[in-house]
Amino acid sequence: MNGDTGAYLIRRVLLVIPLLIGLSILMFGMLHAAPGDPVLAMLGPQAAARPEVLEQARANFGLDKPLPVQYLNWLWDTARGDLGRSYSFNNQPVLDLITNRMWGTIQLQGISLFLALSLAIPIGIFSATRQYTLPDHLVTVGSFIGLALPNFWLALLLQVWVGVQLGWLPVLSSNQARAEFPERLQYFILPVIVLALPSIAYFARFMRSAMLEVINQDYVTVARAKGLGPRPVLYRHALRNALIPMVTVIGLQLPQILSGAVIIEQIFAWPGLGDLAYQAIGRRDYPVILGVTLFAGAAVMIVSVLVDLIYVLIDPRVKLTGSAGG
Amino acid sequence: MAQPDTTLARDAIGPRDPGDIGNAGSLARAAPNRRFQVMRRLAQNRLAMVGLVVIVLLYLVAIFAPWIAGSDPNQLTPGLRNTPPSAENWLGTDRNTRDLWARVIVGTRISLAVGLAAVVIVMTIGITLGALAGYFGGIVDQLVMRTTDILLAVPQILLLITAAALFQPSLQTTIIVIGVTSWSGTARLVRGQFLSLKNQEYVTAARSIGSPSLRIMFRHLFPNTLAVIIVQTTLWLSAAILLEASLSYLGLGVQPPDPSWGNVLQDGQRDLISGAWWLTLFPGLAIFITVLSFNLVGDGLRDAFDPRARKR
C-alpha cells in the first residue's frame, strides 16, 4: 500500500460522516415535507377532537419546534449515540430496537450470502471452462431466470407449496426466536432460498465473465505453455485473479441485499430490520425510520470502504488515487 | 434485486478503439455502418431476439388492452367467486368475481406505462446531471457525485416505501418516487463517458473554434454516450416494472381498483391459502416474463455495442 492509496482510504473514511449527514437531511426533509401528522397517527383519529392533547404530545416529542431546530437537536443526540425514542413500539429507544432486530437480518442475510457465493463461484468456473457448450448455455439461461423472478412471488409460491401443501417447513418465522438450535434452522430454509436465488444467478454470471477474462490473459497462456496441467493453471493462476473483481461486486450488492430484506422479512414475518422499517413507515414512526435508514446507509458505506481496502490488500497492481468515491 | 447490474454495464463503456473516437464516430450521424453492425450483432443473439419479440407483443397487448381483455377489468359477475381457469374465464376469477384475464391484460397497460414514465424521469435526471457533472467538473461534479453516493448507499426499497407511504400512494406517486430514486447509476455512467470524451482532440477543436458548451455537449458528446444510454434504458425498464410490482404488492403503489400486476397479485395472494393459486401464479408470471425479456434485450444490446466484451 503506498502513500497515495493510504491517503485515498483515509479520505474515503472521512467522507462517510458528511454523506451520512446528507442522508439524514434528505430523510428528515422528506419525512417532514410529507402530509400527515405523526402525532395523529400515534394517538388515533379520536384525538383529533382534542387539540390540547395533540399539542401536548407534539411538545413531548419536540415536534412543535421549527424544523431546523428539530434537525439540529436530532443530530446532536445522534452524535452522542442517542437515536431518540420510538413513537410507537412502546417508546423504546431506537438504538435498542435496531440492535435487537439487527441480528435477525444479519443471520438471515449472512447465511443467504454464504450459500449464494459457495454455489455461484463453482457454477461460474464450471460455466467458464465449458464456454458455449450446452451446460454453459443452461447456466446462462438459468441465471437470467434467477434474476427475473420477483422475489415476493417466489416467496409466496414456496410458502404455499412447501409450507402448506407439502407441510414440510413452517410458513411464518414469528416463532423462530423461541425455537432451539436444530429446529430453528427450518425457519431459515425458505427465506434463505428466496434471498439466495437471485444472488446465485448474479454472482455466477459475474464469476463466469471474470474467469473468461482471466483465462484469455497472457500469463495464463504462459503457464499453459510451460507445461502446467489444466487444473493447476485453473486454480493457481486463473481463479485467484478472477476472484479479485468478485470482492467489489459483493460489496456493490449490499444495498440490493438489504432491499430484498424489507420485502422478504415482511412476507415471512421475520424479526429483522426490514420488517421493523416496514412497520415503522406504516406507523409514521419518524425516529425509527430515520434510525434504520441511517444504520443501513452507514453499513453500506463502511462495507464499501472495506471493499476498497481488501482490494488493495489482495491485488498489488491496484493503486487508488483521485477524488474519493468519484 | 431490482437494480440493473451496472457493474456489468461498465463493460459497455470501456474506452473504445482510439480510431473510433478519432473520427468523431458518433453513433447517430457519422456511422450508419456501425449502427447496421450493432443491429446485425443483436439479430444474431437468439435469446435477445426472443426477448425483443416478447416485448413487442407486450406493448401491442398494452396498446390494444381493452379489446384483448374482452371485458371490463372491474366488472362483477355474481356467482363466479374464485373460480379456477375455464373456457369462459381463461385465467379464472377473483374473490370479487372479476375476470383475471381482463385484469392481467389491462394490468399490462398500467404496469408498462408506469415503467415507461418512470424511466423517462430516470433518464432525464440521470443524463442531465451526469452530463453536467462530467462536462463542468468541480463543484457541480462534487454535488452530483455525493448525491449519488447517498442514494446508492440506501436500500432503494426503503426510500421507495417511505416516500410512497408518506405522500399518498397512487399511480403518479409511484412513477415519481421510482423516477427520482433511480437515476444515480445512469448519472455516473454518463458522467464517466463525458469525462473521458471531453478532452478528446475533436472536442478541443470544437471548443477552439468557439462552439458554445451546450452545442459541444449535444452535438459532440451526447451522441457518443448513446450506447450506454440505450442499454441503461432497457435495463431500467425491467427494473422499474419490478419496482412498481414490489411497491404495488406492498400496497404502496398503484391503487385498486386500477389493476397493475403487483396489486392484482397482492389482492389474489390472500386466497392462495384456500387454493386459488391462479390469482398469484398468473400476475407473477406476467412480471417474470416481462422482466426476463427486457433483461435479455438489454444484455444483448450491451454485447452488440461492445463485441469485445462478447467473447468473454
Side-chain angles (χ1 to χ4, degrees), chain B residues 14-299:
Chain B
R16 291 185 198 300
D17 303 332
D20 225 29
I21 294 169
N23 65 14
S26 98
L27 187 65
R29 290 172 299 126
N33 254 341
R34 201 175 145 217
R35 220 187 319 174
F36 176 72
Q37 275 178 9
V38 167
M39 268 147 61
R40 204 189 51 195
R41 279 198 292 266
L42 185 67
Q44 282 166 349
N45 184 335
R46 259 177 295 169
L47 284 176
M49 289 321 283
V50 172
L52 192 62
V53 170
V54 175
I55 290 173
V56 171
L57 287 176
L58 282 167
Y59 277 106
L60 287 176
V61 168
I63 293 166
F64 299 108
W67 290 277
I68 297 170
S71 64
D72 186 321
N74 291 319
Q75 188 190 314
L76 309 179
T77 322
L80 289 182
R81 194 181 132 89
N82 283 349
T83 54
S86 66
E88 289 79 48
N89 301 99
W90 295 349
L91 301 185
T93 58
D94 70 5
R95 58 161 56 197
N96 294 314
T97 73
R98 295 172 297 193
D99 179 39
L100 185 63
W101 168 262
R103 291 187 74 69
V104 169
I105 294 298
V106 175
T108 308
R109 176 180 262 191
I110 294 178
S111 293
L112 290 188
V114 170
L116 203 59
V119 169
V120 169
I121 300 179
V122 172
M123 289 299 138
T124 311
I125 304 179
I127 294 168
T128 311
L129 292 184
L132 292 175
Y135 189 78
F136 291 110
I139 183 87
V140 185
D141 189 27
Q142 282 293 320
L143 268 176
V144 172
M145 291 308 284
R146 296 298 81 82
T147 314
T148 63
D149 280 343
I150 293 172
L151 282 178
L152 288 171
V154 198
Q156 196 184 358
I157 268 290
L158 204 57
L159 277 184
L160 286 177
I161 57 177
T162 310
L166 295 176
F167 298 89
Q168 283 310 313
S170 73
L171 193 130
Q172 289 83 351
T173 314
T174 309
I175 293 171
I176 294 169
V177 296
I178 295 176
V180 298
T181 54
S182 305
W183 53 269
S184 318
T186 309
R188 288 186 159 207
L189 289 172
V190 172
R191 168 190 178 267
Q193 287 287 85
F194 268 57
L195 214 55
S196 70
L197 290 171
K198 76 171 178 189
N199 290 325
Q200 295 288 331
E201 272 173 34
Y202 76 95
V203 180
T204 317
R207 209 175 286 134
S208 68
I209 60 169
S211 292
S213 293
L214 257 182
R215 187 185 154 85
I216 293 175
M217 288 167 80
F218 270 105
R219 291 288 306 264
H220 301 296
L221 297 176
F222 180 70
N224 278 309
T225 60
L226 271 182
V228 175
I229 291 168
I230 291 169
V231 172
Q232 281 291 300
T233 305
T234 318
L235 293 176
W236 268 107
L237 277 169
S238 124
I241 288 166
L242 198 53
L243 286 174
E244 181 274 319
S246 307
L247 265 184
S248 299
Y249 171 74
L250 292 171
L252 296 168
V254 178
Q255 296 298 300
D258 287 342
S260 90
W261 291 332
N263 73 29
V264 172
L265 204 159
Q266 145 74 20
D267 191 51
Q269 52 111 14
R270 291 181 294 169
D271 294 308
L272 191 56
I273 201 118
S274 55
W277 49 268
W278 54 93
L279 295 173
T280 300
L281 184 71
F282 294 120
L285 209 55
I287 301 168
F288 168 63
I289 291 171
T290 310
V291 171
L292 180 63
S293 306
F294 276 112
N295 285 350
L296 287 173
V297 174
D299 202 70

